Amino acid sequence: MFASVLIANRGEIACRIARTAKALGMRTIAVYSDADAGALHVRLCDEAHRIGPAPVRESYLVAERIIEVGRRSGAACVHPGYGFLAENAEFAEAVATADMVFVGPPPAAIRAMGLKDAAKTLMEKAGVPVVPGYHGERQDPKFLKEKAYEIGYPVLIKAVAGGGGKGMRRVDRHADFETALEGASREATSAFGDGRVLVEKYITSPRHIEMQVFADGHGNAVHLYERDCSLQRRHQKVIEEAPAPGMTREVREAMGRAATEAAKAVGYSGAGTVEFIADGSKGLRPDGFWFMEMNTRLQVEHPVTEAITGLDLVEWQFKVAHGEPLPLAQNAIPLNGHAVEARLYAEDPDRNFMPSTGKLLALELPQGKGIRVDTGVTQGSEVSPFYDPMIAKVIAHAPSRDDALANLATALEHTVVAGPRSNVSFLAALCRAEEFRAGHFDTGFIDRNLQALTKGGHVVDHAAAAAGATRLARRGQEMLAARTKGADAAGTSPWDVNDAFGFGAPRSVPMPILVDGERLTARIVYNHDGLSATIDGHPAATEARFVDDGDDAVYVLTGGHQTRVQLADHAVDADHGSSDGAVRAPMHGKLLALFVEKGAPVTKGHRVAVIEAMKMEHTLTAPHDGTVAEVSAAVGEQLAEGSPIVLIEQTE
Ligand code: ADP
Ligand code: ADP
Ligand code: MG
């Protein structure tokens, strides 16, 4: 086996790779950006080398610098993880040129599968069923629109260089085609530096089912069964499971054959995933699935496959890269029970899943029989705006699907995240959703059930807010008590309510607070036992946990939800939308498009700008009717959170 490995990645996947590498006796070499100097993957590896500032283009995507670290540290091989340089054929070549082994497929195979249009053409030739559509050279909008009409709506426009669900637009009506094309192409240019697209039939009742494949340098190719990744939002996976509900032996054989054929057609070796879209409207059928793309790397959701097969996929990757044959033949690969993975993200389901950053003030990840957690952070870590805001993957493995889902839901309900918002209660609700539990779902499931899954959007939890207000008021009272022990007892503090005591009956005073940014008034009631707060008559929740932050705020945790309570007097307005007519960057990001210029009339909700942040596009709209009075940012500019973009003056 290799003596050492350079792990060209960060976060949970870097930690995951280090675990197996260590078990195989390898020296582990980490790389890190300035933002990751104290990160878990750095602490876990035997040595770590700085490769640059926080932005990925200056660190994790700089091939030369990573290869230089490999040379200097004498790494025998390089594992790229997923994302970053994992599917970059030039990087794989450069690794080989520097006399290290790339733990992944041959560069030619990466290239063959790199662009979706060329891959589809190649698969068609190999006899693998592909989604019907146009994946040729021509890109003029008029021609593509005609093709869309021929294919028949709904169609899907996809960036040929796409990945991570970006550069993709579903179009239902001929009239909407141009706008969708423009959006897909712009997103693709910005994300991949390649605006070309393909157009394909949008499969109805789509289920995303993918096959894990493995090939070696000795002509063997096997599959390690399928994963169902149909629970998605914006074409990105949220929950993945193996095996796929409703899978039959016949369909699995057909899909497995197509997947291994696909791998063989490009001279594959190592781990890969062949993604299919299946028509789920009448159950899975051997002739009802089509090739979408092949991901030539280890996949985020590989743990569910590890759970049901009992195999270590990273170990297999190292073995194959080292020139060994695949450890098992097709018929010797086990399949036991059912596994489900949930991607725990720092994002806010109540606010359209907006990524959320900041310090993880509290983080308690679940443990238990059949529960696995893969993470790259610990309590106190910072979720930075520079990288994917995934906190952890939580995986449950049990004899049956029902048990696995129930155990995963329970595990998520016992997970504590404070500081950044998280999708933990949304994930738990998904695991408990009856229709999903019954196996009735497709890729539209989350969108269709969003209201129920997010409990109808943001609602203030009055009881939690009252509990937070109580805590703040008590804290203030203690501070005051400490201060008044000294000489001067200033009389202007909201805590200066000593006159409330000694008159027999409980007295109450109003206390302005901000609850998740919303202004409310708590009533602080003083009685002989001390004080407590109510909000709109709601008493404080009794089953709550508190996490204090340094900034006069308290996080109240109740059943997977967090409510942030802050004294209004001390609060900075956290709302970047606006009462003042300014449209501001909701977070750190790049201005992609501006749709208005100075003097232009706009109506409330009018699209004014698009900002790219956290690898997603966010459309910003006018807060009210009016006229554009000022434009204070330019397309292409990097904007700090809260910086103004345009000012809209209200018309009388
Ligand atoms: P999967 O099909 O496994 O979800 P994706 O194509 O969505 O794979 O990407 C895998 C992961 O790689 C993502 O979850 C993301 O964290 C990471 N990733 C994708 N693109 C990039 C990128 N350009 N830079 C950094 N990380 C990326
Ligand atoms: P990416 O490289 O971004 O992962 P994919 O081609 O794998 O792009 O597509 C991402 C997701 O979009 C799929 O998982 C699936 O949910 C949906 N999708 C892709 N193609 C189709 C299609 N033809 N019909 C319906 N849904 C599709
Ligand atoms: Mg995909």
Side-chain angles (χ1 to χ4, degrees), residues 116 163-165 208 237 275 292-293 295 299:
K116 290 187 205 291
H208 173 120
K237 299 159 186 171
E275 296 189 333
M292 280 194 296
E293 64 162 347
N295 293 325
Q299 203 94 335

Side-chain angles (χ1 to χ4, degrees), residues 9 56-57 60-61 82-85 87 162-166 191-192 208 210 227 229 235-237 240 273 275 293 295 297-302 343 345 386-390 615:
N9 216 303
V56 294
R57 281 181 211 296
Y60 295 105
L61 289 176
Y82 57 70
F84 297 140
L85 297 166
E87 291 173 279
K166 272 173 294 181
F192 316 110
H208 173 120
E210 58 185 35
R227 292 183 288 258
C229 314
H235 308 299
Q236 294 188 49
K237 299 159 186 171
E240 305 103 338
T273 295
E275 296 189 333
E293 64 162 347
N295 293 325
R297 53 163 160 86
L298 189 69
Q299 203 94 335
V300 174
E301 55 275 20
H302 75 278
R343 297 188 187 192
Y345 265 85
F386 298 102
Y387 314 113
D388 190 270
M390 183 154 75
K615 300 200 275 131

Side-chain angles (χ1 to χ4, degrees), residues 116 120 131-132 155-156 158-159 161-168 170 192 200-210 229-230 232 234-237 275-278 292-293 295 297 299 443:
K116 290 187 205 291
K120 279 182 80 174
V131 185
V155 301
L156 195 61
K158 271 187 194 179
K166 272 173 294 181
M168 211 179 281
R170 174 183 161 155
F192 316 110
E200 64 185 31
K201 180 86 194 153
Y202 187 88
I203 305 298
T204 43
S205 260
R207 293 221 356 228
H208 173 120
I209 302 183
E210 58 185 35
C229 314
S230 300
Q232 305 185 342
R234 290 169 162 249
H235 308 299
Q236 294 188 49
K237 299 159 186 171
E275 296 189 333
F276 295 102
I277 195 84
M292 280 194 296
E293 64 162 347
N295 293 325
R297 53 163 160 86
Q299 203 94 335
T443 60

Side-chain angles (χ1 to χ4, degrees), residues 75-320:
C77 66
V78 176
H79 196 309
Y82 57 70
F84 297 140
L85 297 166
E87 291 173 279
N88 184 317
E90 287 84 64
F91 177 67
E93 275 164 356
V95 167
T97 307
D99 285 329
M100 296 178 284
V101 174
F102 180 72
V103 183
I110 300 179
R111 257 189 207 110
M113 291 297 188
L115 295 175
K116 290 187 205 291
D117 53 347
K120 279 182 80 174
T121 306
L122 201 70
M123 289 302 105
E124 254 174 337
K125 285 200 188 115
V128 176
V130 305
V131 185
Y134 177 76
H135 44 265
E137 297 276 302
R138 290 188 61 177
Q139 293 292 314
D140 44 305
K142 195 164 162 282
F143 174 79
L144 291 177
K145 190 173 176 180
E146 274 164 27
K147 282 289 161 193
Y149 186 81
E150 280 169 31
I151 295 162
Y153 291 94
V155 301
L156 195 61
I157 305 175
K158 271 187 194 179
V160 301
K166 272 173 294 181
M168 211 179 281
R169 294 284 189 284
R170 174 183 161 155
V171 195
D172 293 291
R173 300 180 318 161
H174 204 49
D176 299 338
F177 188 84
E178 281 100 343
T179 315
L181 177 63
E182 186 201 300
S185 186
R186 175 164 33 80
E187 201 171 299
T189 307
S190 125
F192 316 110
D194 181 346
R196 288 177 300 151
V197 298
L198 58 82
V199 185
E200 64 185 31
K201 180 86 194 153
Y202 187 88
I203 305 298
T204 43
S205 260
R207 293 221 356 228
H208 173 120
I209 302 183
E210 58 185 35
M211 294 302 283
Q212 174 68 53
V213 295
F214 248 101
D216 62 20
H218 306 271
N220 305 306
V222 299
H223 69 80
L224 275 59
Y225 311 111
E226 76 283 354
R227 292 183 288 258
D228 190 320
C229 314
S230 300
L231 287 198
Q232 305 185 342
R233 240 198 93 251
R234 290 169 162 249
H235 308 299
Q236 294 188 49
K237 299 159 186 171
V238 176
I239 285 191
E240 305 103 338
E241 60 180 305
M247 182 53 84
T248 64
R249 173 199 277 268
E250 201 190 4
V251 176
R252 181 176 287 141
E253 268 176 24
M255 226 182 235
R257 205 177 317 116
T260 46
E261 285 304 319
K264 282 180 183 160
V266 294
Y268 206 80
S269 80
T273 295
V274 182
E275 296 189 333
F276 295 102
I277 195 84
D279 174 356
S281 58
K282 294 183 228 60
L284 299 176
R285 287 171 291 110
D287 60 351
F289 64 84
W290 300 271
F291 172 89
M292 280 194 296
E293 64 162 347
M294 179 169 188
N295 293 325
T296 54
R297 53 163 160 86
L298 189 69
Q299 203 94 335
V300 174
E301 55 275 20
H302 75 278
V304 295
T305 301
E306 296 191 320
I308 61 159
T309 58
L311 302 170
D312 180 332
L313 267 59
V314 176
E315 180 183 343
W316 277 42
Q317 285 190 296
F318 281 125
K319 285 187 167 159
V320 169

Side-chain angles (χ1 to χ4, degrees), residues 427-456:
L427 293 172
L430 261 176
C431 292
R432 297 221 185 270
E434 258 171 54
E435 259 189 284
F436 175 54
R437 284 293 269 271
H440 304 309
F441 62 99
D442 58 34
T443 60
F445 184 87
I446 290 180
D447 276 345
R448 281 196 302 274
N449 295 284
L450 204 56
Q451 281 287 102
L453 292 166
T454 56
K455 299 182 183 66

Side-chain angles (χ1 to χ4, degrees), residues 566-591:
Q566 198 177 3
L567 289 177
D569 294 344
H570 298 254
V572 188
D573 212 330
D575 180 11
H576 301 299
S578 57
S579 45
D580 60 356
V583 177
R584 297 168 191 278
M587 60 195 121
H588 187 92
K590 181 170 148 194
L591 189 62

